[in-house]
Amino acid sequence: MPRPLGELEDAVMTRVWKWNRPVTVREVLEDLQQERSIAYTTVMTVLDNLHQKGWVRREAEGRAYRYEAVSTRAAYSAALMNDAWSQSDNPAAALVAFFGMMSPEQREALNDAVRMVQGPENPGAPESGTGR
């Protein structure tokens, strides 16, 4: 898994993910400037770095590029969670601690996700191969 995004990389990727279409440096710059003072060249460098790291693909448009996300924010979040979980020396305890941090809304989203993974054939039944 690629390393977690830095603060400015995340701010840029948030816009790319939210807009869900190819974007220009200028578009990202103008949106970022509503929150902070930032230079065109800084945004251009961040998008180039994100391209080098494989987070965005780009297509030339005249003398500039349009950048598009390679994967979704959900996939990025899942990869971060998986990486953190896989580094635990006690994965079950890590999950229990994580679940304990969740809000009721997050626990409901987790329940929904488990139901989606289990499929409609046997809702509520444990997955096969668990020994139950």
Side-chain angles (χ1 to χ4, degrees):
M1 181 197 103
R3 69 173 181 75
L5 296 171
E7 186 265 332
L8 188 53
E9 290 173 328
D10 187 69
V12 169
M13 282 305 300
T14 294
R15 283 145 179 91
V16 174
W17 281 319
K18 182 175 83 175
W19 296 335
N20 196 29
R21 61 172 172 76
V23 300
T24 64
V25 172
R26 176 77 48 205
E27 290 173 310
V28 175
L29 170 72
E30 289 173 358
D31 200 59
L32 282 171
Q33 284 179 331
Q34 295 176 29
E35 299 172 1
R36 65 178 85 194
S37 176
I38 191 165
Y40 180 94
T41 54
T42 301
V43 177
M44 184 175 63
T45 299
V46 170
L47 279 164
D48 185 60
N49 289 343
L50 289 166
H51 175 257
Q52 297 300 320
K53 293 175 181 180
W55 288 105
V56 295
R57 61 172 109 5
R58 67 185 180 194
E59 187 173 316
E61 184 176 276
R63 293 177 41 205
Y65 290 104
R66 284 202 173 267
Y67 295 86
E68 186 173 17
V70 170
S71 67
T72 64
R73 178 169 284 292
Y76 168 67
S77 297
L80 287 178
M81 289 187 290
N82 186 60
D83 188 53
W85 185 49
S86 68
Q87 292 181 33
S88 173
D89 60 349
N90 188 340
L95 281 174
V96 169
F98 179 64
F99 296 156
M101 296 175 190
M102 297 174 101
S103 69
E105 294 81 16
Q106 290 170 320
R107 282 193 294 277
E108 185 57 36
L110 175 64
N111 288 333
D112 291 345
V114 169
R115 282 190 289 274
M116 288 170 55
V117 170
Q118 287 178 336
E121 308 86 42
N122 228 347
E127 290 185 51
S128 61
T130 60
R132 294 184 195 157

